[in-house]
Structures are given as structure tokens and as C-alpha cells.
Amino acid sequence: MDNLDTRRAIIEACLAMNKSRINQGTSGNISVRCDGGLLITPLGMPYDLMQPQDIVFLSDDGAVLDGGKPSSEWQFHCAVMKARPDKGAMVHTHAPFCTMLAIHQKPIPAVHYMVAAAGGHDIPCTPYAVFGSKALSDHVVRALTNRDACLMAHHGMIAIGADLPAAMALAIEVEALARQYHGALQIGTPEVLSPEEMDKVSEKMRTYGYAGRGKTKE
């Protein structure tokens, strides 16, 4: 995929995440790794007005190489891409159920085996820090050291993937898990799957080729 195609794919993904209701307005942002840095959504621009030239090209260290102002969250996009060379895209949204849990600083425990799709036994929630800050970036990098998704306290969620389709698929899956967990909490405190069981699920997902593609078989 060349640079222009990637820019168009980012815009399509932004429109899709609002259409699927895992985001609203311009609150989310997306980045994709490319040669020499990353492409990221611009600051505060309505998705339906975006043109390919509006997508900002940043160096690995966050310097603007082409375009205007990048998303206010450029710091954690750059930091995670640097820390996770195995990943090629990031999706950040204010998905409603993820955000409800994040407001209560609740991680998503192993209430469903699909939690393993995010790379571990749970989907962690970072401590709170103001949006766009170095502190928030540091929290996110720590949370995603051995996970592919996390919640951010009083903020929203992040999903990363080998490519943009994989990151988008995981973001949708994490919001579904958050909705299921929220619903289960209305009945009572749900039981969670054991670490041993989650290890089995993780291994089965690897065997079935789930990781990085955003889909699995049953």
C-alpha cells in the first residue's frame, strides 16, 4: 500500500469507527506506520471533511514532516510505534462501554475467552493523565508492553495491530467485550476464566492464526 492509499484508508477507518459507534465526533484518532515515521489523523478535523493531504506525516520522534497539526495524542502514537515494532497501526476511540469502564478505572478481566485477543489475561486500564501529555503516553506504553489493547482512565481505549484492519477489528472486539462485561456487572460480579484456561485460549488462537488478522475460527 503506497502513501496515498494509506492516507485514504485512514480516512475510511475514521468514518467507519463513527458509523459503527465505537467513536463519536472527532474524539478518536488513528495512525499507521510508514517508511520514515507514521501517518496520523490531524487535530480536530471532522472526518467527513478530511482529504488525503490532511493526514499528517510524522517522523518516529514526532516531528511534522508533511501536513499541519497532528492529533493531540501524537505522543502516545509515536511512543507505542517505537516500543512495539511488531505493530503497524493504532486506533484510539472514546468507545462508549470502554469509556464507562475507564471512568471507573476498571480493566476488563477474563470474563470471556476473547479477552485473549488483546494479548493476555485481561485488558488493563491505565492511570489517569491529561490528554496529549507525556504522562499519558508513558502510561499507555507501559500498558501496551505485552498487550494489544488497553483502556485509559476517564478517557477511552486503544487497540493496536499488525495493520489497520487488524487494529480496527480489535477495537471493535474490545468494545464488544466492554459491553458484555458492563452487562454482566448488572447481574452481579461475574466469575473469570483462570490464567491456565486463558493460556490455552491464547495458544489456540496462535495455532488458528488469529493474531494480527483480527479474526478467528471456532
Side-chain angles (χ1 to χ4, degrees):
M1 183 181 290
D2 64 24
N3 192 292
L4 180 58
D5 286 343
T6 303
R7 290 168 182 262
R8 288 172 173 161
I10 289 172
I11 295 170
E12 289 173 4
C14 286
L15 293 169
M17 70 182 182
N18 277 18
K19 186 176 181 180
S20 65
R21 298 184 180 179
I22 64 166
N23 195 63
Q24 48 282 323
T26 61
S27 55
N29 34 76
I30 290 176
S31 68
V32 175
R33 190 190 301 277
C34 62
D35 290 341
L38 59 87
L39 292 166
I40 190 169
T41 46
L43 178 67
M45 181 176 289
Y47 301 148
D48 57 353
L49 298 181
M50 276 187 205
Q51 298 298 316
Q53 63 268 25
D54 296 317
I55 303 300
V56 183
F57 182 25
L58 297 181
S59 72
D60 294 332
D61 295 325
V64 175
L65 302 177
D66 180 52
K69 291 185 177 180
S71 164
S72 61
E73 304 293 11
W74 66 267
Q75 287 196 73
F76 67 58
H77 283 266
C78 288
V80 171
M81 290 291 186
K82 187 173 182 178
R84 293 294 304 272
D86 58 318
K87 301 301 176 183
M90 173 184 287
V91 173
H92 161 52
T93 85
H94 293 184
F97 285 92
C98 285
T99 302
M100 280 188 268
L101 295 178
I103 286 169
H104 285 281
Q105 301 186 29
K106 282 184 174 292
I108 303 175
V111 290
H112 192 288
Y113 76 86
M114 281 301 292
V115 166
H121 298 171
D122 66 356
I123 298 172
C125 183
T126 74
Y128 174 76
V130 70
F131 75 94
S133 66
K134 175 65 163 52
L136 179 58
S137 177
D138 290 344
H139 291 328
V140 169
V141 169
R142 280 193 291 271
L144 296 179
T145 297
N146 56 5
R147 294 288 189 276
D148 292 346
C150 69
L151 309 184
M152 296 178 289
H154 305 279
H155 191 153
M157 62 85 70
I158 292 173
I160 56 177
D163 54 25
L164 184 51
M168 279 290 293
L170 183 57
I172 290 169
E173 183 64 48
V174 172
E175 174 65 354
L177 290 164
R179 184 172 66 249
Q180 291 157 9
Y181 182 39
H182 175 273
L185 287 171
Q186 309 315 302
I187 301 171
T189 302
E191 293 189 14
V192 300
L193 296 171
S194 69
E196 293 77 17
E197 186 62 27
M198 291 300 287
D199 286 340
K200 292 178 186 176
V201 170
S202 295
E203 181 58 32
K204 197 166 188 179
M205 284 184 171
R206 281 192 290 270
T207 302
Y208 282 10
Y210 178 91
R213 292 212 294 267
K215 59 184 178 181
T216 190
K217 300 176 183 177
E218 297 206 53

